[in-house]
């Protein structure tokens, strides 16, 4: 521990100095001293000490005056809180600091300016509370930051304002809630060289997924200009996911960034917001090289601190060099108990009012209170839903009593998202229109449990909360895998105990992520319908090559699922749309025939080698190759659906090889769906050209019993059309025997094991390698299968003993 003095430069500090200079400044010192040696750039600076803060309060009589003002404080009395907070802040700002304290600050400022060869250096002035950024209590964002401060006079004012911000309304309220004594916490002021990100970009990086707690990814949010607009939610940022094990960008979402914060060189205020030209708004705020460099640095910081981290960065627009300007422990997901799965289920859906980015994976309902100015927060009542444009730390006293929060602006790392996540409150950000659509007094439900997109519904809808303790869940010999088609849920579902994904449906990703028929993208210039062309133009904005949109979006969806379970197997089924389903995609009607029974029509393998569809199938192959070869996710395996003949299987594989997906190359395995009786009758021959089988029990039942799954009307198929039929079970049993004889893997991915526990037990008895289930049935079915395996082992042991 350093000896007490008023100011220390970063090079003198380490993480052990949190009591002296707070978490933020101690962390800057730690990184400056240890991580610059590993290539990280940290702008230099200095920090005032906790002792200097206490000296200021004691020597000027401020402490006693503040204690008097806080006497009898009730944080639930919002107006009283606001009045007291304002009085304390005014008192601190108008009180002159002791001369020796001022002299120490100015001496350090002159030294820092000399280091950067300028007279009045531009600096950021930030607060760092001595209880801030601890793993069990996040004070981050509670106090103020002042940017582009130049000159000694303005620096001293900014320091006093920083100290005063220890008594903002939200900081006072937060300390009371966390049971921290107001004077047990001191404030250090960090003065750091500004990076000219007003000419470049800046943002926030987490070394853990902020929504699910998935630890194998780095999440990066970035915007043009200074980073305050991210935290304040004024600008929805670009979002990048980098997968740590393969060091590849697996997801990239670019936003419309309509403004940026820059230096105000000729105005009365040091910074200002300016509009970004429309032609520039959709451009990426970081290059791929910068994203990957940031991710590498994030991992270095995480490894140094041995915990997930929340990191701020800035890119100098003059040099394009990246700087780390803050790092603190992530304090929400990293503290969750991974053994307890919590799932919110909406029991009834209503009219969707609006949607945005979901935060928190929960559901909340209540009466909306539309509030557009923080001065009105005294009107907010516990249990209401806060509807507003955006929040900043002044809103925190009411955020903690809200049932849910919905904002017009912001991204996943804006203030509303960060605080909601910490408080465990569902929050939908970036709706763009909620404040114009929802008025005070209206009952609404906020659903953040359905994936990346959060929904605001009309009325108070019923929901339930399911908690499952998986700590002592026994893993059976039979592999339990998952059916999954929603990339947005992949990270969350990865915590459900499974051996990977037995069925990832490509058509789900195409339908939800892409929405456009691939041939409409390939032939965009030739499309006849102007409405369709307009829809496609809006969805593919920024893509000159419309077909590349299909490849990129599909690769991103597949990569998110593959990364979530890496290095476990993820089996992706090639698109299995029927003609009526393909026709419903944007632009699809121009390319799809009308079939009277599409369930047994032009689908699956037969599409892939049809000359008119080969260009569309090529896009699927390119996307999968990108995931495996460029992103390094070689745990991805491919499955061919509805393959009627061995000859079809050969044709499909020949085309796949032409587009870089050759069986055996780079470890690629190709499976076939066993869903047509011919697949089982000719199983020996299918074994020669495929690496394994996955039983599609729905289609197998349909084609074995001659029942149309799409049939409606007088024919009641519900009692006949299920996998428990004896004929279906005989076929499945036969396939398992042939597959094992030929050393081929065989699993099942149909609905049957999820719906019928006794059918799952039958599969275990037959010796199936894997059973792929819907996420909500995995835990219960795993327990049942483990018990069945135990019973089988016991009965075999008894027979062995008797005979």
């Amino acid at each position: 521990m350093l000896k007490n003095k008023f100011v220390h430069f970063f090079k003198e500090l380490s993480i052990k100095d949190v009591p002296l200079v707070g978490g933020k400044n101690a962390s800057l010192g730690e990184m400056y001293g240890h991580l610059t040696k590993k290539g990280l750039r940290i702008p230099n600076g200095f920090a005032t000490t906790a002792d200097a803060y206490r000296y200021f309060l004691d020597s000027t009589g401020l402490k006693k005056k503040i204690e008097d003002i806080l006497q009898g404080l009730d944080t639930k009395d919002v107006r009283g809180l606001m009045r007291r907070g304002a009085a304390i802040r005014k008192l601190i700002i108008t009180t002159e600091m002791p001369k020796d304290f001022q002299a120490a600050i100015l001496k350090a400022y002159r030294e820092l300016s000399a280091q950067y060869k300028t007279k009045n250096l531009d600096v950021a002035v930030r607060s760092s509370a001595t209880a801030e950024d601890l793993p069990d209590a996040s004070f981050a964002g509670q106090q103020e930051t002042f940017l582009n401060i130049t000159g000694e006079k303005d620096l001293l004012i900014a320091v006093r304002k920083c100290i005063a911000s220890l008594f903002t309304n939200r900081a006072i309220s937060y300390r009371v809630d966390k049971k921290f004594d107001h004077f047990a916490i001191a404030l250090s002021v960090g003065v750091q060289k500004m990076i000219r990100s007003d000419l470049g970009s800046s943002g926030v990086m987490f070394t853990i997924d902020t929504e699910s707690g998935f630890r194998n990814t780095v999440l990066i949010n970035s915007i043009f200009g200074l980073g305050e607009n991210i935290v304040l939610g004024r600008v929805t940022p670009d979002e990048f996911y980098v997968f740590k094990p393969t060091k590849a960008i697996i997801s990239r979402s670019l936003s419309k960034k309509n403004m940026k914060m820059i230096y105000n060189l000729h105005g009365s205020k040091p910074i200002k917001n300016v509009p970004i030209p429309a032609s520039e708004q959709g451009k990426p705020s970081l290059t791929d090289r910068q994203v990957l460099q940031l991710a590498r640095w994030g991992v270095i910081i995480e490894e140094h601190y041995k915990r997930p981290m929340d990191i701020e960065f800035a890119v100098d627009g003059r040099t394009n060099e990246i700087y780390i300007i803050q790092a603190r422990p992530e304090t929400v997901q990293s503290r969750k108990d991974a053994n307890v799965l919590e799932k919110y289920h909406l029991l009834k859906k209503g009219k969707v009012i609006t949607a945005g980015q979901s935060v928190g994976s929960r559901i909340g309902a209540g009466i909306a209170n539309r509030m557009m100015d923080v001065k009105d927060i005294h009107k907010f009542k516990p249990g209401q839903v806060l509807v507003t444009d955006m929040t900043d730390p002044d809103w925190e006293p009411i955020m903690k009593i809200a049932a849910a929060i919905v904002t017009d602006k912001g991204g996943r790392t804006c203030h509303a998202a960060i605080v909601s996540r910490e408080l465990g409150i569902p929050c939908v950000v970036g709706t763009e229109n909620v404040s114009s659509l929802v008025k005070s007094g209206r009952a609404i439900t906020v659903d953040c449990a359905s994936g990346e997109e959060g929904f605001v519904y009309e009325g108070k809808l019923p929901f339930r909360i399911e908690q499952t303790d998986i700590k002592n869940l026994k893993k059976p010999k039979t592999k339990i895998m998952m059916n999954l088609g929603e990339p947005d849920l992949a990270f969350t579902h990865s915590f459900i105990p499974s051996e990977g994904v037995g069925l990832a449906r490509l058509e789900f990703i195409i339908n939800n992520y892409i929405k456009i028929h691939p041939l409409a993208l390939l032939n965009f210039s030739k499309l006849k319908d102007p409405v369709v062309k307009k829809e496609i133009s809006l969805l593919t904005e920024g893509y000159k090559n419309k077909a590349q949109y299909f490849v990129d979006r599909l690769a991103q969806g597949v990569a998110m699922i593959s990364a979530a379970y890496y290095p476990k197997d993820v089996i992706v089924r090639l698109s299995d749309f029927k003609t009526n389903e393909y026709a419903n995609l944007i632009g699809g009607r121009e390319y799809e025939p009308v079939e009277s029974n599409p369930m047994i029509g032009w689908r699956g393998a037969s599409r892939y080698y049809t000359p008119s569809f080969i260009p569309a199938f090529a896009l699927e192959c390119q996307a999968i190759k990108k995931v495996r070869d460029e992103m390094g996710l070689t745990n991805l395996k491919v499955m061919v659906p509805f393959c009627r003949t061995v000859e079809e299987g050969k044709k499909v594989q020949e085309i796949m090889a032409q587009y870089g997906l050759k069986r055996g190359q780079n470890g690629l395995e190709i499976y076939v769906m066993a869903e047509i009786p011919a697949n089982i009758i000719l199983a020996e021959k299918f074994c020669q050209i495929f690496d394994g089988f996955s039983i599609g029990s729905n289609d197998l039942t349909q084609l074995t019993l001659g029942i149309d799954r799409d049939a409606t009307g007088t024919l009641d198929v519900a009692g006949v059309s299920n996998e428990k039929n004896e004929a279906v079970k005989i076929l499945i049993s036969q396939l398992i025997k042939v597959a094992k004889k030929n050393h081929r893997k065989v699993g099942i991915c149909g609905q049957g094991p999820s719906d019928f526990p006794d059918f799952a037990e039958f599969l275990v008895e037959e010796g199936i390698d894997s059973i792929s289930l819907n996420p909500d049935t995995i835990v219960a079915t795993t327990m049942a299968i483990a018990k069945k395996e135990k019973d089988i082992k016991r009965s075999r042991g008894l027979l062995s003993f008797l005979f």
Side-chain angles (χ1 to χ4, degrees):
M1 181 71 67
L2 293 165
K3 290 183 180 179
N4 298 341
K5 65 176 183 176
F6 293 145
V7 170
H8 289 287
F9 273 87
F10 290 165
K11 65 182 180 181
E12 303 175 89
L13 300 170
S14 75
I15 200 64
K16 296 177 182 177
D17 294 311
V18 172
L20 184 68
V21 293
K24 193 179 296 178
N25 290 332
S27 181
L28 282 168
E30 179 76 11
M31 290 191 295
Y32 194 86
H34 293 87
L35 299 186
T36 51
K37 301 170 187 174
K38 296 186 178 182
L40 276 71
R41 296 187 195 90
I42 316 289
N44 198 11
F46 60 88
T48 65
T49 63
D51 300 290
Y53 164 80
R54 294 188 181 101
Y55 173 58
F56 176 31
L57 261 59
D58 290 339
S59 64
T60 57
L62 279 172
K63 182 180 178 183
K64 178 67 171 64
K65 294 174 183 176
I66 293 169
E67 286 175 334
D68 291 344
I69 293 171
L70 290 174
Q71 192 70 35
L73 170 69
D74 177 6
T75 57
K76 293 177 183 176
D77 176 6
V78 177
R79 276 182 165 164
L81 173 65
M82 293 168 71
R83 186 177 63 252
R84 293 168 192 257
I88 293 171
R89 293 191 297 276
K90 182 179 179 182
L91 191 62
I92 293 171
I93 291 169
T94 56
T95 300
E96 187 177 3
M97 292 185 293
K99 297 293 184 186
D100 46 356
F101 184 18
Q102 290 186 48
I105 292 170
L106 297 180
K107 181 175 181 292
Y109 178 58
R110 289 165 194 152
E111 286 182 29
L112 188 63
S113 295
Q115 179 188 335
Y116 286 97
K117 298 176 181 162
T118 185
K119 183 179 180 184
N120 289 313
L121 187 69
D122 53 329
V123 293
V125 183
R126 296 186 177 92
S127 57
S128 179
T130 56
E132 182 182 40
D133 300 334
L134 301 180
D136 59 344
S138 174
F139 281 71
Q142 293 293 326
Q143 286 80 49
E144 299 288 357
T145 293
F146 301 93
L147 303 178
N148 188 26
I149 300 300
T150 57
E152 296 180 356
K153 179 182 175 183
D154 286 348
L155 175 60
L156 292 176
I157 293 170
V159 169
R160 284 204 304 277
K161 286 182 176 179
C162 258
I163 293 172
S165 74
L166 189 60
F167 293 93
T168 56
N169 307 329
R170 76 264 183 179
I172 295 169
S173 175
Y174 191 90
R175 286 195 294 271
V176 171
D177 291 343
K178 292 288 183 181
K179 297 182 170 53
F180 282 92
D181 183 281
H182 292 291
F183 295 99
I185 296 163
L187 192 122
S188 165
V189 178
V191 178
Q192 185 180 34
K193 167 70 179 83
M194 282 282 292
I195 300 303
R196 290 302 303 268
S197 59
D198 64 312
L199 304 174
S201 57
S202 54
V204 183
M205 167 169 59
F206 287 86
T207 62
I208 187 173
D209 180 45
T210 55
E211 300 311 308
S212 65
F214 182 68
R215 294 200 176 200
N216 257 357
T217 192
V218 176
L219 169 63
I220 298 171
N221 278 191
S222 60
I223 58 172
F224 293 119
L226 303 176
E228 294 298 288
N229 280 339
I230 284 188
V231 178
L232 296 175
R234 291 194 185 113
V235 178
T236 301
D238 294 338
E239 184 172 276
F240 305 89
Y241 277 103
V242 177
F243 188 51
K244 293 177 186 175
T246 62
K247 302 178 177 64
I249 300 170
I250 59 170
S251 175
R252 181 188 290 99
S253 301
L254 304 183
S255 71
K256 282 291 190 74
K257 301 165 288 292
N258 63 332
M259 70 170 80
K260 65 178 178 178
M261 186 179 286
I262 63 170
Y263 281 16
N264 188 14
L265 299 175
H266 305 293
S268 57
K269 294 182 178 180
I271 53 176
K272 65 178 180 179
N273 273 311
V274 296
I276 295 175
S279 60
E280 304 288 318
Q281 291 177 7
K283 290 185 176 180
S285 50
L286 294 172
T287 65
D288 284 0
R289 183 190 63 79
Q290 290 170 332
V291 170
L292 293 172
Q293 181 179 330
L294 277 166
R296 284 195 300 272
W297 285 7
V299 170
I300 290 170
I301 295 169
E302 180 181 61
E303 288 174 348
H304 180 79
Y305 284 100
K306 297 180 173 59
R307 58 169 61 104
M309 298 294 288
D310 169 358
I311 302 159
E312 292 182 30
F313 64 87
V315 181
D316 191 316
R318 299 169 302 182
T319 64
N320 284 326
E321 290 181 329
I322 301 171
Y323 291 83
I324 300 299
I325 55 176
Q326 283 190 50
R328 62 180 72 89
E330 193 278 340
T331 58
V332 180
Q333 294 296 345
S334 54
R335 289 188 299 172
K336 282 189 175 179
D337 184 354
N339 290 315
V340 178
L341 302 178
E342 184 181 73
K343 176 67 177 172
Y344 279 63
H345 299 274
L346 195 63
L347 301 178
K348 176 185 174 185
K349 289 196 175 181
K351 178 186 174 185
V352 175
I353 300 172
T354 189
Q357 286 186 304
S358 64
V359 176
S361 301
R362 296 184 174 186
I363 299 171
I367 302 300
N369 192 331
R370 178 184 177 275
M371 197 168 284
M372 305 305 287
D373 195 310
V374 72
K375 66 179 175 56
D376 296 321
I377 63 174
H378 62 278
K379 299 175 183 177
F380 194 84
K381 294 182 172 57
Q384 291 182 331
V385 177
L386 176 61
V387 173
T388 188
D389 183 44
M390 59 186 181
T391 68
D392 61 34
D394 288 328
W395 293 80
E396 287 177 29
I398 64 167
M399 292 174 76
K400 64 189 178 186
I401 60 172
I405 297 167
V406 194
T407 70
D408 291 330
K409 298 175 184 173
R412 246 183 271 280
T413 50
C414 74
H415 176 267
I418 291 169
V419 174
S420 297
R421 206 175 283 121
E422 183 171 329
L423 295 172
I425 295 169
C427 175
V428 175
V429 296
T431 64
E432 298 182 356
N433 57 8
V434 69
S435 66
S436 63
L437 295 176
V438 176
K439 307 301 180 189
S440 293
R442 186 177 182 181
I444 59 174
T445 298
V446 179
D447 175 18
C448 296
S450 300
E452 187 177 277
E453 191 172 23
F455 298 95
V456 180
Y457 290 102
E458 180 78 56
K460 282 188 180 181
L461 302 178
F463 62 91
R464 67 181 175 89
I465 307 168
E466 177 186 4
Q467 286 191 325
T468 307
D469 191 336
I470 59 170
K471 186 177 182 180
N472 299 313
L473 188 67
K474 183 177 173 59
K475 184 188 291 187
K477 180 183 175 183
T478 307
K479 278 189 173 184
I480 303 300
M481 303 181 81
M482 186 179 295
N483 296 334
L484 187 60
E486 291 287 349
D488 297 347
L489 297 173
F491 289 169
T492 299
H493 285 338
S494 71
F495 290 93
I496 300 172
S498 73
E499 295 301 311
V501 175
L503 174 64
R505 300 174 177 92
L506 220 57
E507 61 271 16
F508 277 27
I509 302 172
I510 293 169
N511 195 57
N512 297 330
Y513 256 49
I514 298 170
K515 303 179 182 178
I516 306 166
H517 195 288
L519 290 175
L521 289 164
L522 284 161
N523 299 292
F524 178 73
S525 61
K526 300 176 185 176
L527 291 176
K528 300 168 186 174
D529 189 334
V531 175
V532 167
K533 287 195 80 168
K534 185 176 181 182
E535 281 186 273
I536 294 175
S537 294
L538 287 171
L539 285 170
T540 61
E541 190 174 358
Y543 278 88
K544 290 182 180 178
N545 179 351
K546 302 301 181 185
Q548 191 61 41
Y549 170 81
F550 187 96
V551 174
D552 289 349
R553 294 288 289 173
L554 187 57
Q556 178 172 311
V558 171
M560 294 292 277
I561 297 173
S562 301
Y565 295 87
Y566 184 89
K568 297 174 182 176
D569 289 353
V570 170
I571 303 171
V572 171
R573 186 178 71 189
L574 298 168
S575 62
D576 192 25
F577 282 120
K578 289 74 176 174
T579 49
N580 57 329
E581 294 167 337
Y582 254 129
N584 286 329
L585 293 174
I586 297 169
R589 301 200 181 278
E590 200 168 319
Y591 298 98
E592 294 298 322
V594 176
E595 295 183 308
S596 57
N597 193 342
M599 187 62 75
I600 53 173
W602 190 38
R603 58 176 286 202
S606 62
R607 276 186 173 266
Y608 311 149
Y609 60 84
T610 301
S612 63
F613 195 79
I614 287 175
F617 180 57
L619 300 182
E620 289 185 33
C621 294
Q622 289 169 34
I624 291 169
K625 178 177 168 57
K626 183 176 182 177
V627 174
R628 285 180 51 83
D629 295 353
E630 294 181 26
M631 300 180 185
L633 293 162
T634 52
N635 60 321
L636 171 61
K637 304 180 187 306
V638 179
M639 184 154 61
V640 178
F642 224 75
C643 186
R644 293 175 169 97
T645 68
V646 175
E647 288 70 32
E648 272 196 333
K650 290 178 179 177
K651 284 182 184 178
V652 169
Q653 290 196 41
E654 285 172 7
I655 293 169
M656 290 174 67
Q658 289 175 25
Y659 293 101
L661 295 178
K662 184 175 176 60
R663 181 177 167 226
Q665 199 169 79
N666 196 18
L668 176 63
E669 292 185 4
I670 301 179
Y671 288 21
V672 64
M673 290 287 290
E675 53 193 340
I676 303 169
N679 301 140
I680 297 166
I681 294 167
L682 298 175
E684 291 275 0
K685 292 185 177 181
F686 277 100
C687 283
Q688 294 171 26
I689 65 167
F690 288 104
D691 296 294
F693 299 89
S694 185
I695 301 164
S697 55
N698 292 341
D699 272 324
L700 183 61
T701 301
Q702 167 186 238
L703 297 171
T704 301
L705 300 176
I707 294 170
D708 181 3
R709 283 167 55 196
D710 282 349
T712 57
T714 57
L715 179 62
D716 178 14
V717 298
V720 180
S721 180
N722 72 58
E723 295 85 340
K724 294 162 68 175
N725 183 279
E726 185 180 3
V728 179
K729 290 171 77 173
I730 287 171
L731 286 172
I732 290 172
S733 179
Q734 182 180 333
L735 177 66
I736 293 171
K737 288 182 176 68
V738 174
K740 286 189 170 296
K741 175 188 165 188
N742 287 274
H743 307 290
R744 292 290 183 260
K745 295 174 184 175
V746 59
I748 188 168
C749 59
Q751 188 70 23
S754 294
D755 289 346
F756 308 117
D758 55 337
F759 181 66
E761 291 177 7
F762 155 74
L763 295 168
V764 174
E765 288 175 343
E766 293 299 312
I768 200 163
D769 293 318
S770 65
I771 297 176
S772 196
L773 302 160
N774 295 337
D776 58 347
T777 65
I778 281 184
V779 173
T781 309
T782 297
M783 294 168 66
I785 287 173
K787 182 178 182 302
K788 184 65 179 178
E789 288 181 350
K790 188 176 180 181
D791 292 343
I792 292 171
K793 187 176 180 181
R794 188 186 297 118
S795 63
R796 287 175 180 167
L798 180 61
L799 285 171
S800 175
F801 173 76
L802 291 173
F803 298 101

